[in-house]
Amino acid sequence: ATAFGGVTLAARGVLEAFWGSGDDDAARALLDGQSRGGHPVGCAAALHEIETLADLLECDASSETDDVNKTRVYFSDDVVWELSTIKSVAGAMSYGTVLVVTLESPQTTLLVVDRLKKHCGILARSIGNVVYIMVSPLTGEEDCLRLSDNLARVLKDVSRHPPSENLTD
């Protein structure tokens, strides 16, 4: 039970996106939010974020660029490619503000998330063998690069010293 009541309403398309494609692919589902989705404070924070993002998009549209509908890139193709070439990585992708890295084993994933928190101050989420780093739509390019550089460094370190060697770390 929650101290504050609340409910989340969504169109069928949003619900289907939330649950994923049904093929048990954790990298494609939006698996966060259900515990706070209808909470009044969470809703107020989301509303503020939407208003701030709308202001940012309005600023982008009024800027003098060739393509005002250009989607912001948070994690470049080069960053994703570099991550995908690291030994313990099975695959990597970015989707908007989310960087997704699939590792070869859940043990490696837990170690990577733990090291990101302890040594870099980065909070990442893992589900199975997938590591997620999520940023705000307002996060700048330099911060995204710093996050991905730290992730690459931790992944390379863990690849050199597999989980069985790191269990006491």
Side-chain angles (χ1 to χ4, degrees):
T2 308
F4 297 97
V7 66
T8 301
L9 301 176
R12 176 154 309 277
V14 172
L15 179 64
E16 289 169 359
F18 180 84
W19 286 115
S21 61
D23 61 1
D24 208 21
D25 186 359
R28 295 181 189 269
L30 302 173
L31 299 174
D32 191 29
Q34 63 272 29
S35 62
R36 298 175 302 281
H39 192 284
V41 174
C43 291
L47 181 59
H48 176 73
E49 181 80 10
I50 289 168
E51 290 168 349
T52 303
L53 183 56
D55 291 345
L56 179 67
L57 292 174
E58 187 177 309
C59 248
D60 285 351
S62 66
S63 69
E64 295 182 26
T65 61
D66 292 336
D67 184 7
V68 294
N69 293 319
K70 183 179 177 186
T71 303
R72 287 174 172 250
V73 174
Y74 296 88
F75 300 100
S76 72
D77 290 343
D78 291 340
V79 164
V80 173
W81 173 254
E82 179 193 346
L83 291 169
S84 72
T85 62
I86 297 172
K87 183 179 175 185
S88 60
V89 175
M93 66 178 234
S94 67
Y95 186 74
T97 61
V98 182
L99 179 61
V100 181
V101 179
T102 304
L103 302 180
E104 294 176 352
S105 77
Q107 294 83 7
T108 302
T109 306
L110 293 173
L111 184 60
V112 167
V113 169
D114 183 60
R115 290 237 176 129
L116 284 170
K117 183 177 180 183
K118 284 183 181 176
H119 301 293
C120 307
I122 297 171
L123 298 177
R125 179 174 182 161
S126 67
I127 299 174
N129 63 328
V130 181
V131 174
Y132 299 88
I133 292 183
M134 297 167 253
V135 298
S136 160
L138 305 177
T139 304
E141 185 178 337
E142 287 180 13
D143 287 329
C144 290
L145 190 56
R146 181 186 58 80
L147 290 167
S148 59
D149 285 348
N150 278 298
L151 176 59
R153 186 171 40 81
V154 168
L155 286 167
K156 288 173 185 175
D157 183 52
V158 169
S159 293
R160 285 190 296 273
H161 308 285
S164 60
E165 298 176 26
N166 286 308
L167 292 177
T168 58
D169 190 331

